[in-house]
Amino acid sequence: MALVGIVVTRVIEDSVTRNSAASTALYVDSVIAPLLPDMRKNEALSDPVAHALDETLGQGALGKRLVSFRLWGKDGTILYANDRSLVGKRFEPSPNLETAFAGKMVAEFNQVDDIESKRERESGQMLLEIYNPVLQPWSGEVVAVSEFYEIATDFERSLLWARVWSWLAVAAATLGFFLVLSAIVFRGSRTITQQSHALRARVLELSGLLAQNRLLHARVQRASQRAVALNESYLRRIGADLHDGPAQLVALASMKLDGSALLAPCASPESRDREIDTIKSSLDEALYEIRSICRGLILPHIETQRTRDVIAHAAQAHEQRTGATVRQSLSDEPCELSPSGKICAYRFVQEALSNAYRHAGGAGQAVRHACEAGRVIIEVSDSGPGFDPTLAGPEALGLAGLRERVESLGGVFTLETSERGTIVRMVLDVEEVHAP
Protein backbone atom coordinates (compact mmCIF):
# COMPACT_ATOMS: atom_id res chain seq x y z
CA MET A 1 0.00 0.00 0.00
CA ALA A 2 2.96 2.33 0.58
CA LEU A 3 3.98 1.84 -3.06
CA VAL A 4 0.43 2.66 -4.15
CA GLY A 5 0.54 5.81 -2.01
CA ILE A 6 3.81 6.88 -3.60
CA VAL A 7 2.43 6.30 -7.08
CA VAL A 8 -0.78 8.18 -6.32
CA THR A 9 1.17 11.07 -4.78
CA ARG A 10 3.43 11.23 -7.79
CA VAL A 11 0.47 11.29 -10.17
CA ILE A 12 -1.18 14.07 -8.17
CA GLU A 13 2.09 16.08 -8.08
CA ASP A 14 2.44 15.81 -11.84
CA SER A 15 -1.16 16.82 -12.35
CA VAL A 16 -0.88 19.82 -10.03
CA THR A 17 2.42 20.84 -11.64
CA ARG A 18 0.99 20.66 -15.16
CA ASN A 19 -2.13 22.59 -14.20
CA SER A 20 -0.18 25.36 -12.48
CA ALA A 21 2.37 25.56 -15.29
CA ALA A 22 -0.36 25.63 -17.92
CA SER A 23 -2.14 28.55 -16.28
CA THR A 24 1.10 30.52 -15.92
CA ALA A 25 2.21 29.73 -19.49
CA LEU A 26 -1.17 30.80 -20.87
CA TYR A 27 -0.93 34.07 -19.01
CA VAL A 28 2.64 34.71 -20.17
CA ASP A 29 1.73 33.90 -23.79
CA SER A 30 -1.15 36.36 -23.69
CA VAL A 31 1.21 39.07 -22.41
CA ILE A 32 4.27 38.57 -24.61
CA ALA A 33 2.60 37.34 -27.83
CA PRO A 34 1.78 40.85 -29.15
CA LEU A 35 5.36 41.98 -28.53
CA LEU A 36 7.14 39.19 -30.36
CA PRO A 37 8.18 39.69 -34.02
CA ASP A 38 8.53 36.91 -36.57
CA MET A 39 10.74 34.35 -34.76
CA ARG A 40 11.43 32.15 -37.77
CA LYS A 41 14.65 34.05 -38.39
CA ASN A 42 16.10 32.60 -35.16
CA GLU A 43 17.73 35.94 -34.30
CA ALA A 44 18.09 37.81 -31.01
CA LEU A 45 15.39 40.33 -30.30
CA SER A 46 16.01 43.92 -31.02
CA ASP A 47 16.59 46.34 -28.18
CA PRO A 48 13.15 48.00 -28.43
CA VAL A 49 11.40 44.63 -28.30
CA ALA A 50 13.66 43.41 -25.48
CA HIS A 51 13.05 46.64 -23.57
CA ALA A 52 9.28 46.26 -24.05
CA LEU A 53 9.47 42.68 -22.75
CA ASP A 54 11.48 43.81 -19.74
CA GLU A 55 8.84 46.33 -18.81
CA THR A 56 5.96 43.95 -19.46
CA LEU A 57 7.43 41.01 -17.56
CA GLY A 58 8.71 43.14 -14.67
CA GLN A 59 5.42 44.78 -13.77
CA GLY A 60 2.25 43.70 -11.98
CA ALA A 61 1.51 40.25 -10.61
CA LEU A 62 3.59 38.59 -13.30
CA GLY A 63 6.66 40.57 -12.35
CA LYS A 64 6.37 39.50 -8.73
CA ARG A 65 6.11 35.84 -9.63
CA LEU A 66 8.77 35.54 -12.36
CA VAL A 67 12.38 35.20 -11.30
CA SER A 68 13.80 34.90 -14.81
CA PHE A 69 12.64 34.57 -18.40
CA ARG A 70 14.36 33.24 -21.53
CA LEU A 71 13.42 32.86 -25.14
CA TRP A 72 15.13 30.03 -27.01
CA GLY A 73 15.74 29.53 -30.68
CA LYS A 74 15.63 26.17 -32.38
CA ASP A 75 19.40 25.77 -32.42
CA GLY A 76 19.75 26.32 -28.65
CA THR A 77 20.53 30.06 -28.87
CA ILE A 78 19.04 32.33 -26.21
CA LEU A 79 17.20 35.03 -28.16
CA TYR A 80 16.10 36.94 -25.09
CA ALA A 81 16.73 36.83 -21.34
CA ASN A 82 16.21 39.27 -18.53
CA ASP A 83 19.80 38.38 -17.67
CA ARG A 84 21.49 40.15 -20.60
CA SER A 85 24.68 38.19 -20.16
CA LEU A 86 22.96 35.11 -21.59
CA VAL A 87 21.54 36.71 -24.72
CA GLY A 88 23.11 35.35 -27.88
CA LYS A 89 24.77 32.40 -26.20
CA ARG A 90 24.17 28.96 -27.55
CA PHE A 91 23.74 25.86 -25.34
CA GLU A 92 23.21 22.22 -26.10
CA PRO A 93 19.42 21.76 -26.12
CA SER A 94 18.25 19.89 -23.03
CA PRO A 95 15.63 17.10 -23.23
CA ASN A 96 13.04 19.49 -21.83
CA LEU A 97 13.84 22.06 -24.49
CA GLU A 98 13.60 19.48 -27.25
CA THR A 99 10.24 18.32 -25.89
CA ALA A 100 8.97 21.90 -25.93
CA PHE A 101 10.10 22.39 -29.55
CA ALA A 102 8.11 19.22 -30.31
CA GLY A 103 5.01 21.16 -29.29
CA LYS A 104 4.57 20.01 -25.68
CA MET A 105 4.80 22.12 -22.57
CA VAL A 106 7.24 20.88 -19.88
CA ALA A 107 7.24 21.87 -16.22
CA GLU A 108 9.50 20.80 -13.33
CA PHE A 109 9.32 21.77 -9.68
CA ASN A 110 12.52 22.61 -7.79
CA GLN A 111 14.83 20.85 -10.27
CA VAL A 112 17.10 23.68 -11.44
CA ASP A 113 20.00 21.69 -12.89
CA ASP A 114 20.61 23.33 -16.29
CA ILE A 115 24.01 24.89 -17.01
CA GLU A 116 22.54 28.28 -17.80
CA SER A 117 20.45 28.33 -14.60
CA LYS A 118 23.25 29.10 -12.12
CA ARG A 119 21.58 32.31 -11.00
CA GLU A 120 18.31 30.54 -10.26
CA ARG A 121 20.05 27.81 -8.27
CA GLU A 122 21.79 30.38 -6.12
CA SER A 123 18.52 32.20 -5.32
CA GLY A 124 17.62 29.55 -2.73
CA GLN A 125 13.93 29.74 -3.61
CA MET A 126 11.44 27.06 -4.56
CA LEU A 127 11.00 27.54 -8.30
CA LEU A 128 8.72 26.12 -10.95
CA GLU A 129 10.59 25.77 -14.26
CA ILE A 130 8.36 25.96 -17.36
CA TYR A 131 9.19 25.37 -21.04
CA ASN A 132 6.38 26.59 -23.24
CA PRO A 133 6.39 26.38 -27.08
CA VAL A 134 5.79 29.70 -28.91
CA LEU A 135 3.58 29.15 -31.97
CA GLN A 136 3.34 31.15 -35.18
CA PRO A 137 -0.13 32.77 -35.08
CA TRP A 138 -1.24 31.69 -38.57
CA SER A 139 0.55 28.42 -39.23
CA GLY A 140 0.77 27.05 -35.66
CA GLU A 141 4.47 26.30 -36.22
CA VAL A 142 6.72 26.22 -33.13
CA VAL A 143 9.19 29.04 -33.80
CA ALA A 144 10.63 29.47 -30.30
CA VAL A 145 10.35 28.23 -26.72
CA SER A 146 9.87 30.46 -23.72
CA GLU A 147 11.53 29.34 -20.50
CA PHE A 148 10.69 31.05 -17.27
CA TYR A 149 11.13 30.38 -13.57
CA GLU A 150 8.19 31.15 -11.30
CA ILE A 151 8.34 31.55 -7.54
CA ALA A 152 6.42 28.47 -6.33
CA THR A 153 5.61 29.31 -2.71
CA ASP A 154 1.86 29.04 -3.25
CA PHE A 155 2.40 26.10 -5.55
CA GLU A 156 4.50 24.36 -2.91
CA ARG A 157 1.71 24.87 -0.39
CA SER A 158 -0.85 23.48 -2.85
CA LEU A 159 1.44 20.57 -3.62
CA LEU A 160 1.89 19.89 0.09
CA TRP A 161 -1.87 19.83 0.59
CA ALA A 162 -2.23 17.57 -2.44
CA ARG A 163 0.29 15.20 -0.92
CA VAL A 164 -1.48 15.28 2.43
CA TRP A 165 -4.87 14.62 0.86
CA SER A 166 -3.43 11.87 -1.33
CA TRP A 167 -1.90 10.14 1.67
CA LEU A 168 -5.15 10.59 3.62
CA ALA A 169 -7.05 9.07 0.72
CA VAL A 170 -4.60 6.17 0.55
CA ALA A 171 -4.81 5.74 4.34
CA ALA A 172 -8.62 5.77 4.19
CA ALA A 173 -8.61 3.24 1.36
CA THR A 174 -6.11 1.10 3.26
CA LEU A 175 -8.22 1.30 6.41
CA GLY A 176 -11.36 0.41 4.47
CA PHE A 177 -9.59 -2.49 2.80
CA PHE A 178 -8.26 -3.63 6.17
CA LEU A 179 -11.73 -3.43 7.75
CA VAL A 180 -13.31 -5.37 4.87
CA LEU A 181 -10.51 -7.94 4.99
CA SER A 182 -10.85 -8.18 8.77
CA ALA A 183 -14.61 -8.72 8.43
CA ILE A 184 -14.02 -11.46 5.86
CA VAL A 185 -11.38 -13.10 8.05
CA PHE A 186 -13.57 -12.79 11.15
CA ARG A 187 -16.54 -14.29 9.34
CA GLY A 188 -14.39 -17.08 7.96
CA SER A 189 -12.90 -17.70 11.40
CA ARG A 190 -16.36 -17.83 12.95
CA THR A 191 -17.52 -20.23 10.23
CA ILE A 192 -14.48 -22.42 10.81
CA THR A 193 -15.11 -22.35 14.57
CA GLN A 194 -18.76 -23.33 14.09
CA GLN A 195 -17.80 -26.10 11.69
CA SER A 196 -15.11 -27.25 14.13
CA HIS A 197 -17.64 -27.41 16.97
CA ALA A 198 -20.12 -29.22 14.74
CA LEU A 199 -17.41 -31.65 13.64
CA ARG A 200 -16.32 -32.20 17.25
CA ALA A 201 -19.94 -32.86 18.24
CA ARG A 202 -20.30 -35.24 15.30
CA VAL A 203 -17.10 -37.04 16.31
CA LEU A 204 -18.37 -37.36 19.88
CA GLU A 205 -21.69 -38.66 18.59
CA LEU A 206 -19.96 -41.18 16.34
CA SER A 207 -17.68 -42.18 19.23
CA GLY A 208 -20.75 -42.79 21.38
CA LEU A 209 -22.36 -44.84 18.62
CA LEU A 210 -19.14 -46.79 18.22
CA ALA A 211 -19.06 -47.50 21.96
CA GLN A 212 -22.69 -48.61 21.84
CA ASN A 213 -21.94 -50.84 18.86
CA ARG A 214 -19.02 -52.36 20.71
CA LEU A 215 -21.20 -52.95 23.77
CA LEU A 216 -23.94 -54.46 21.64
CA HIS A 217 -21.39 -56.62 19.83
CA ALA A 218 -20.07 -57.81 23.18
CA ARG A 219 -23.63 -58.60 24.28
CA VAL A 220 -24.28 -60.52 21.08
CA GLN A 221 -21.05 -62.43 21.53
CA ARG A 222 -21.93 -63.28 25.11
CA ALA A 223 -25.42 -64.29 24.03
CA SER A 224 -24.08 -66.51 21.27
CA GLN A 225 -21.55 -68.06 23.63
CA ARG A 226 -24.26 -68.80 26.16
CA ALA A 227 -26.74 -70.01 23.58
CA VAL A 228 -25.23 -73.50 23.35
CA ALA A 229 -25.00 -73.84 27.13
CA LEU A 230 -28.56 -72.60 27.58
CA ASN A 231 -29.90 -74.92 24.90
CA GLU A 232 -28.05 -77.84 26.48
CA SER A 233 -29.49 -76.84 29.85
CA TYR A 234 -33.02 -76.68 28.42
CA LEU A 235 -32.55 -80.06 26.73
CA ARG A 236 -31.27 -81.60 29.98
CA ARG A 237 -34.22 -80.12 31.85
CA ILE A 238 -36.70 -81.42 29.29
CA GLY A 239 -34.94 -84.78 29.30
CA ALA A 240 -35.06 -84.87 33.09
CA ASP A 241 -38.75 -83.93 33.11
CA LEU A 242 -39.53 -86.63 30.55
CA HIS A 243 -37.38 -89.20 32.34
CA ASP A 244 -38.63 -88.49 35.84
CA GLY A 245 -42.27 -88.05 34.84
CA PRO A 246 -43.82 -89.63 31.74
CA ALA A 247 -41.03 -92.19 31.23
CA GLN A 248 -41.40 -93.57 34.78
CA LEU A 249 -45.16 -93.76 34.44
CA VAL A 250 -44.94 -95.51 31.06
CA ALA A 251 -42.37 -97.93 32.53
CA LEU A 252 -44.75 -98.64 35.42
CA ALA A 253 -47.57 -99.35 32.97
CA SER A 254 -45.28 -101.65 31.00
CA MET A 255 -44.38 -103.56 34.15
CA LYS A 256 -48.03 -103.92 34.99
CA LEU A 257 -48.72 -105.33 31.54
CA ASP A 258 -45.94 -107.85 32.01
CA GLY A 259 -47.09 -108.71 35.53
CA SER A 260 -48.35 -112.18 36.35
CA ALA A 261 -51.51 -110.95 38.02
CA LEU A 262 -52.90 -109.70 34.74
CA LEU A 263 -51.75 -112.61 32.55
CA ALA A 264 -52.20 -115.43 35.00
CA PRO A 265 -55.04 -117.79 33.96
CA CYS A 266 -56.12 -118.15 37.55
CA ALA A 267 -56.37 -114.41 38.16
CA SER A 268 -59.77 -113.21 39.24
CA PRO A 269 -61.66 -110.64 37.17
CA GLU A 270 -61.51 -108.22 40.07
CA SER A 271 -57.68 -108.31 40.22
CA ARG A 272 -57.47 -107.94 36.48
CA ASP A 273 -59.71 -104.85 36.57
CA ARG A 274 -57.58 -103.31 39.30
CA GLU A 275 -54.43 -103.87 37.23
CA ILE A 276 -56.06 -102.40 34.13
CA ASP A 277 -57.21 -99.34 36.10
CA THR A 278 -53.68 -98.87 37.46
CA ILE A 279 -52.16 -99.11 33.99
CA LYS A 280 -54.72 -96.67 32.56
CA SER A 281 -54.13 -94.20 35.41
CA SER A 282 -50.36 -94.31 34.81
CA LEU A 283 -50.75 -93.76 31.10
CA ASP A 284 -53.25 -90.90 31.65
CA GLU A 285 -50.87 -89.20 34.09
CA ALA A 286 -47.94 -89.63 31.66
CA LEU A 287 -49.99 -88.13 28.85
CA TYR A 288 -50.98 -85.18 31.10
CA GLU A 289 -47.35 -84.50 32.02
CA ILE A 290 -46.28 -84.70 28.36
CA ARG A 291 -48.95 -82.18 27.43
CA SER A 292 -47.87 -79.92 30.29
CA ILE A 293 -44.28 -80.00 29.06
CA CYS A 294 -45.45 -79.22 25.52
CA ARG A 295 -47.55 -76.30 26.74
CA GLY A 296 -44.45 -74.86 28.42
CA LEU A 297 -42.47 -75.13 25.20
CA ILE A 298 -45.08 -73.73 22.82
CA LEU A 299 -45.69 -69.96 22.74
CA PRO A 300 -49.24 -68.62 22.46
CA HIS A 301 -50.24 -66.49 19.48
CA ILE A 302 -48.96 -63.16 20.80
CA GLU A 303 -48.55 -60.98 17.66
CA THR A 304 -52.05 -59.53 17.95
CA GLN A 305 -52.25 -59.56 21.77
CA ARG A 306 -51.51 -56.60 23.98
CA THR A 307 -48.41 -56.72 26.15
CA ARG A 308 -50.44 -56.89 29.37
CA ASP A 309 -52.47 -59.81 27.92
CA VAL A 310 -49.27 -61.70 27.04
CA ILE A 311 -48.04 -61.26 30.64
CA ALA A 312 -51.42 -62.32 32.03
CA HIS A 313 -51.40 -65.42 29.79
CA ALA A 314 -47.97 -66.45 31.10
CA ALA A 315 -49.12 -66.00 34.72
CA GLN A 316 -52.35 -67.99 34.14
CA ALA A 317 -50.44 -70.83 32.42
CA HIS A 318 -48.18 -71.02 35.46
CA GLU A 319 -51.20 -71.17 37.78
CA GLN A 320 -52.76 -73.98 35.74
CA ARG A 321 -49.51 -75.93 35.63
CA THR A 322 -48.56 -75.59 39.31
CA GLY A 323 -51.81 -74.78 41.10
CA ALA A 324 -50.10 -71.77 42.74
CA THR A 325 -51.65 -68.32 42.96
CA VAL A 326 -50.01 -65.36 41.22
CA ARG A 327 -51.06 -61.81 42.10
CA GLN A 328 -51.17 -59.58 39.00
CA SER A 329 -50.82 -55.79 38.72
CA LEU A 330 -51.01 -54.89 35.03
CA SER A 331 -51.10 -51.38 33.55
CA ASP A 332 -53.70 -50.32 30.96
CA GLU A 333 -51.49 -47.59 29.42
CA PRO A 334 -50.95 -47.87 25.62
CA CYS A 335 -47.30 -48.81 25.71
CA GLU A 336 -46.85 -51.79 23.41
CA LEU A 337 -43.78 -53.86 22.59
CA SER A 338 -42.80 -55.39 19.28
CA PRO A 339 -43.36 -59.16 18.71
CA SER A 340 -39.76 -59.87 19.80
CA GLY A 341 -40.33 -57.75 22.92
CA LYS A 342 -43.57 -59.63 23.72
CA ILE A 343 -41.79 -62.99 23.35
CA CYS A 344 -39.08 -61.73 25.71
CA ALA A 345 -41.74 -60.61 28.22
CA TYR A 346 -43.58 -63.95 28.04
CA ARG A 347 -40.42 -66.02 28.55
CA PHE A 348 -39.27 -63.67 31.32
CA VAL A 349 -42.49 -64.12 33.32
CA GLN A 350 -42.63 -67.85 32.56
CA GLU A 351 -39.05 -68.56 33.65
CA ALA A 352 -39.11 -66.20 36.67
CA LEU A 353 -42.32 -67.77 38.02
CA SER A 354 -40.94 -71.28 37.45
CA ASN A 355 -37.76 -70.40 39.36
CA ALA A 356 -39.80 -68.83 42.17
CA TYR A 357 -42.02 -71.91 42.39
CA ARG A 358 -39.04 -74.27 42.30
CA HIS A 359 -36.85 -72.45 44.85
CA ALA A 360 -39.36 -70.50 46.97
CA GLY A 361 -42.27 -72.91 46.89
CA GLY A 362 -44.44 -70.33 45.10
CA ALA A 363 -44.81 -68.22 48.25
CA GLY A 364 -46.13 -64.72 47.61
CA GLN A 365 -45.68 -64.85 43.85
CA ALA A 366 -46.63 -61.62 42.07
CA VAL A 367 -46.29 -60.05 38.61
CA ARG A 368 -46.26 -56.28 38.05
CA HIS A 369 -46.39 -54.52 34.69
CA ALA A 370 -46.00 -50.72 34.25
CA CYS A 371 -45.25 -48.18 31.53
CA GLU A 372 -43.14 -45.15 32.47
CA ALA A 373 -41.64 -42.56 30.09
CA GLY A 374 -41.75 -44.85 27.07
CA ARG A 375 -40.33 -47.85 28.94
CA VAL A 376 -42.02 -51.14 29.81
CA ILE A 377 -41.20 -52.43 33.31
CA ILE A 378 -42.01 -56.02 34.30
CA GLU A 379 -41.31 -57.42 37.78
CA VAL A 380 -41.73 -60.96 39.12
CA SER A 381 -41.40 -61.27 42.90
CA ASP A 382 -41.85 -63.80 45.68
CA SER A 383 -41.62 -63.83 49.47
CA GLY A 384 -39.27 -66.78 49.74
CA PRO A 385 -36.02 -66.92 51.75
CA GLY A 386 -33.90 -65.54 48.86
CA PHE A 387 -30.49 -66.83 47.79
CA ASP A 388 -26.90 -65.76 47.17
CA PRO A 389 -26.43 -65.12 43.42
CA THR A 390 -22.65 -65.65 43.71
CA LEU A 391 -23.24 -69.22 44.88
CA ALA A 392 -25.57 -70.14 42.04
CA GLY A 393 -24.38 -73.20 40.18
CA PRO A 394 -24.96 -74.50 36.65
CA GLU A 395 -28.63 -75.00 37.40
CA ALA A 396 -28.99 -71.18 37.49
CA LEU A 397 -28.64 -70.94 33.74
CA GLY A 398 -32.28 -69.86 33.56
CA LEU A 399 -31.46 -66.46 35.09
CA ALA A 400 -28.45 -66.07 32.78
CA GLY A 401 -30.67 -66.86 29.83
CA LEU A 402 -33.17 -64.21 30.92
CA ARG A 403 -30.42 -61.63 31.29
CA GLU A 404 -29.03 -62.37 27.84
CA ARG A 405 -32.51 -62.32 26.27
CA VAL A 406 -33.35 -58.92 27.82
CA GLU A 407 -29.97 -57.29 27.11
CA SER A 408 -29.98 -58.53 23.51
CA LEU A 409 -32.97 -56.22 22.96
CA GLY A 410 -31.19 -53.27 24.57
CA GLY A 411 -33.02 -53.70 27.88
CA VAL A 412 -31.88 -53.80 31.50
CA PHE A 413 -32.07 -56.89 33.72
CA THR A 414 -31.80 -56.60 37.52
CA LEU A 415 -32.00 -59.09 40.37
CA GLU A 416 -32.69 -58.18 44.01
CA THR A 417 -32.75 -60.91 46.64
CA SER A 418 -32.80 -60.93 50.42
CA GLU A 419 -34.31 -62.84 53.34
CA ARG A 420 -37.65 -61.16 52.61
CA GLY A 421 -37.85 -62.43 49.04
CA THR A 422 -36.58 -61.98 45.49
CA ILE A 423 -37.47 -59.48 42.79
CA VAL A 424 -36.50 -60.04 39.15
CA ARG A 425 -37.00 -56.97 36.94
CA MET A 426 -36.68 -56.26 33.22
CA VAL A 427 -36.91 -52.81 31.55
CA LEU A 428 -37.32 -52.39 27.78
CA ASP A 429 -37.29 -49.11 25.85
CA VAL A 430 -40.28 -49.18 23.49
CA GLU A 431 -38.60 -47.07 20.78
CA GLU A 432 -35.38 -49.10 20.91
CA VAL A 433 -37.25 -52.40 20.64
CA HIS A 434 -39.28 -51.12 17.68
CA ALA A 435 -36.16 -49.69 15.93
CA PRO A 436 -35.23 -51.60 12.74
Side-chain angles (χ1 to χ4, degrees), residues 283-362:
L283 292 176
D284 289 341
E285 186 176 356
L287 180 60
Y288 174 78
E289 291 193 9
I290 291 174
R291 287 176 177 174
S292 297
I293 294 173
C294 290
R295 281 197 300 270
L297 295 176
I298 298 174
L299 285 173
H301 187 68
I302 65 176
E303 285 81 359
T304 58
Q305 293 186 9
R306 298 171 60 189
T307 301
R308 70 183 309 277
D309 296 335
V310 171
I311 297 173
H313 190 280
Q316 293 169 4
H318 178 77
E319 289 178 336
Q320 293 175 0
R321 185 172 61 254
T322 62
T325 301
V326 179
R327 290 184 291 107
Q328 300 181 32
S329 175
L330 307 178
S331 173
D332 287 328
E333 296 186 22
C335 191
E336 296 300 323
L337 295 174
S338 65
S340 59
K342 293 177 183 178
I343 293 174
C344 178
Y346 183 89
R347 291 302 189 193
F348 175 83
V349 174
Q350 183 186 49
E351 182 67 22
L353 289 175
S354 296
N355 289 338
Y357 183 79
R358 186 180 306 113
H359 299 291

Side-chain angles (χ1 to χ4, degrees), residues 9 12 157-171:
T9 302
I12 293 176
R157 188 179 301 110
S158 300
L159 187 59
L160 177 61
W161 277 108
R163 289 175 178 173
V164 171
W165 282 110
S166 65
W167 279 108
L168 288 177
V170 171

Side-chain angles (χ1 to χ4, degrees), residues 98-295:
E98 293 178 349
T99 302
F101 271 111
K104 296 181 180 180
M105 184 189 69
V106 181
E108 291 184 345
F109 172 66
N110 200 27
Q111 294 185 9
V112 185
D113 52 4
D114 296 329
I115 298 175
E116 70 278 4
S117 302
K118 180 179 179 182
R119 177 183 173 186
E120 287 78 8
R121 284 194 297 271
E122 293 175 351
S123 66
Q125 295 179 320
M126 295 292 179
L127 302 177
L128 180 62
E129 181 183 11
I130 303 172
Y131 289 87
N132 184 48
V134 179
L135 305 179
Q136 189 69 24
W138 302 110
S139 63
E141 178 187 357
V142 178
V143 295
V145 171
S146 61
E147 176 192 7
F148 49 91
Y149 289 86
E150 177 186 2
I151 297 175
T153 304
D154 295 338
F155 172 76
E156 182 183 12
R157 188 179 301 110
S158 300
L159 187 59
L160 177 61
W161 277 108
R163 289 175 178 173
V164 171
W165 282 110
S166 65
W167 279 108
L168 288 177
V170 171
T174 303
L175 180 60
F177 178 77
F178 176 76
L179 292 177
V180 172
L181 184 61
S182 299
I184 294 174
V185 172
F186 176 76
R187 183 175 180 181
S189 176
R190 184 173 61 182
T191 301
I192 292 174
T193 302
Q194 292 175 350
Q195 292 178 348
S196 176
H197 291 166
L199 181 60
R200 189 177 293 108
R202 185 61 177 170
V203 170
L204 292 177
E205 181 182 358
L206 293 177
S207 299
L209 292 176
L210 180 60
Q212 293 179 4
N213 289 337
R214 289 176 178 173
L215 180 60
L216 182 59
H217 180 67
R219 290 179 179 178
V220 171
Q221 282 187 332
R222 290 199 304 269
S224 62
Q225 292 171 359
R226 305 270 308 179
V228 175
L230 292 174
N231 288 334
E232 291 296 330
S233 173
Y234 292 147
L235 291 176
R236 287 198 302 269
R237 181 179 300 175
I238 294 172
D241 290 341
L242 292 175
H243 179 272
D244 295 339
Q248 296 293 335
L249 294 173
V250 171
L252 177 61
S254 177
M255 291 175 58
K256 291 292 183 180
L257 288 174
D258 294 336
S260 58
L262 183 62
L263 301 177
C266 59
S268 63
E270 291 80 3
S271 62
R272 290 181 179 178
D273 291 338
R274 285 195 300 270
E275 291 295 326
I276 292 174
D277 291 338
T278 302
I279 294 172
K280 183 177 182 300
S281 176
S282 298
L283 292 176
D284 289 341
E285 186 176 356
L287 180 60
Y288 174 78
E289 291 193 9
I290 291 174
R291 287 176 177 174
S292 297
I293 294 173
C294 290
R295 281 197 300 270

Side-chain angles (χ1 to χ4, degrees), residues 364-385:
Q365 285 185 313
V367 175
R368 186 178 77 89
H369 160 253
C371 183
E372 300 176 0
R375 298 181 303 169
V376 173
I377 302 173
I378 302 174
E379 291 182 354
V380 177
S381 60
D382 63 68
S383 57

